[in-house]
Amino acid sequence: MTQPQGALLVGSVNYDDAETTMRTAAELLGDRLRRLPDGEVGKRFHWIMFQPDVIGRADGIERIGDEPIPFPAGIDARGLRLAEGVDPARIELPPLGYAEAALESYALFTRLREEGAVAPGTRFQVSLPTPLAVISSFFHGDDRAAIEPVYTAAILRELDEILAGIPHHDLAVQWDVASEMGIIERASGYGAVMEAWWPGDPFDGLVSRLAALVDAVPADVEVGVHLCYGDAGEKHFFEPSDAGNLVRYANAVAAASSRPLTWLHLPVPIAHDDAAYFAPLAQLEPVDELYLGLVHREDGEEGARRRIAAATPYVPAFGVATECGIGRAPAGSTEGILRTHAAVAAAW
């Protein structure tokens, strides 16, 4: 059996602060990591769930319902709508919070590197949601098409601020891609059908949107794509029977992008250590770094090795990861998950 090389931390890590995340990950995974995230601590702990509280402050956008819907971390989970008669082009969204968090954590990253806690050559990883994730999760009906250019411009402003504030040779940007897979799979999501809002083939629109985001990252900055089936309560919104649609989408996005992907992450559900799940990987176009999300806290090293053995006949080289971020894993389980990565993957 081929031993995987390298590990990827998808994004969120269940520690209370960024310094603990970076110190612990660097200590336990060290030369298996080429890039290091801050763990998406604070208001980003629940991925995009804080975005309605940010977007809802803009003139021309309203919250749906009169009473807040309480969510952990003091978040109001109510959805969003455009105010009646508003011209979407005149809406000015406030800063979304991603650039502010990235710049703050990068300062910590550089201090830890100067102290020797982070290895030289390691890049700082910033994970960003695709606009489609936020729009499809919190807006409805015709409002989705109307707000899409506004929110897309806002997330690209966040990216530009990050690019201006972090040296390019130190930076790696990952696009988190979950709702797109729901539309491809025609999934019911968490209680609602996940649908496109543009004319024509939904798949073509999904490809062009993600390819544009990949191309928004300059060539001297690393860029990765994390494909995902969601992680609410460690449950997917759709359970794929094989990796066929992941491969189809990844290949199409790579072909449509003007620049190459630095890395690609594909999830592997815990139930799959069967050849049928991994067989479509034989059709995956080459990528500089491929990571398979086959590490699961529930069955640790033994389960990861089963999935590695099942994947190896279909893909010549890959690193390991979890299938999604581990920020929502039970408290106290994080170190064990990191140690599993180290046990099954070789250093670069």
Side-chain angles (χ1 to χ4, degrees):
M1 181 177 70
T2 301
Q3 184 176 18
Q5 184 178 37
L8 175 75
L9 294 180
V10 177
S12 63
V13 178
N14 197 359
Y15 287 124
D16 290 336
D17 60 89
E19 181 164 355
T20 301
T21 297
M22 288 193 259
R23 283 190 182 276
T24 307
E27 177 184 355
L28 296 181
L29 294 177
D31 51 11
R32 292 168 177 81
L33 289 178
R34 285 184 159 172
R35 47 199 72 90
L36 189 63
D38 69 358
E40 298 178 10
V41 295
K43 62 186 177 183
R44 293 170 295 134
F45 180 81
H46 295 282
W47 195 40
I48 59 173
M49 289 303 298
F50 76 100
Q51 282 295 279
D53 283 336
V54 175
I55 303 167
R57 299 200 304 265
D59 290 339
I61 295 181
E62 301 173 341
R63 305 303 296 268
I64 298 174
D66 296 328
E67 296 296 328
I69 299 176
F71 195 82
I75 292 170
D76 177 359
R78 282 181 296 169
L80 301 162
R81 65 187 173 203
L82 299 185
E84 187 174 353
V86 70
D87 178 359
R90 299 179 67 85
I91 293 175
E92 296 183 6
L93 295 183
L96 303 179
Y98 294 104
E100 179 185 12
L103 297 178
E104 180 180 343
S105 291
Y106 177 68
L108 172 61
F109 172 87
T110 56
R111 175 169 66 78
L112 294 177
R113 188 172 57 188
E114 290 166 359
E115 294 175 3
V118 173
T122 305
R123 291 197 182 217
F124 178 62
Q125 178 182 322
V126 176
S127 298
L128 297 172
T130 63
L132 186 141
V134 174
I135 294 162
S136 65
S137 296
F138 303 118
F139 289 91
H140 305 277
D142 293 341
D143 283 356
R144 289 175 167 178
I147 200 63
E148 183 176 15
V150 180
Y151 189 83
T152 300
I155 201 75
L156 291 177
R157 286 195 297 272
E158 299 286 308
L159 174 62
D160 287 343
E161 188 175 343
I162 293 165
L163 293 169
I166 299 177
H168 289 196
H169 67 271
D170 265 355
L171 180 60
V173 174
Q174 176 177 277
W175 292 107
D176 292 340
V177 185
S179 299
E180 288 84 347
M181 294 310 304
I183 293 173
I184 289 170
E185 302 284 8
R186 308 175 81 83
S188 61
Y190 300 114
V193 175
M194 304 173 79
E195 296 178 323
W197 53 83
W198 52 88
D201 187 338
F203 186 79
D204 292 344
L206 294 170
V207 170
S208 63
R209 282 163 170 79
L210 184 52
L213 295 174
V214 170
D215 288 344
V217 180
D220 58 348
V221 173
E222 293 185 342
V223 66
V225 164
H226 154 50
L227 299 185
C228 186
Y229 284 101
D231 182 41
E234 295 188 287
K235 300 291 185 181
H236 294 315
F237 55 70
F238 180 86
E239 293 293 349
S241 60
D242 60 49
N245 278 332
L246 294 165
V247 169
R248 177 181 172 231
Y249 189 37
N251 283 347
V253 170
S257 303
S258 299
R259 60 154 298 170
L261 289 177
T262 311
W263 78 92
L264 171 68
H265 169 274
L266 302 179
V268 180
I270 192 170
H272 286 294
D273 56 10
D274 54 300
Y277 184 85
F278 294 99
L281 295 178
Q283 306 304 316
L284 183 67
E285 293 296 324
V287 63
D288 286 351
E289 298 174 37
L290 171 66
Y291 294 92
L292 298 183
L294 47 74
V295 171
H296 292 268
R297 69 171 181 84
E298 294 91 338
D299 58 12
E301 181 179 345
E302 185 273 332
R305 292 195 184 279
R306 286 201 320 271
R307 296 178 198 98
I308 290 166
T312 297
Y314 302 103
V315 63
F318 58 89
V320 302
T322 49
E323 63 182 344
C324 194
I326 56 177
R328 273 75 65 193
S333 66
T334 304
E335 182 173 328
I337 296 170
L338 297 178
R339 290 190 183 278
T340 300
H341 287 72
V344 300
W348 286 104

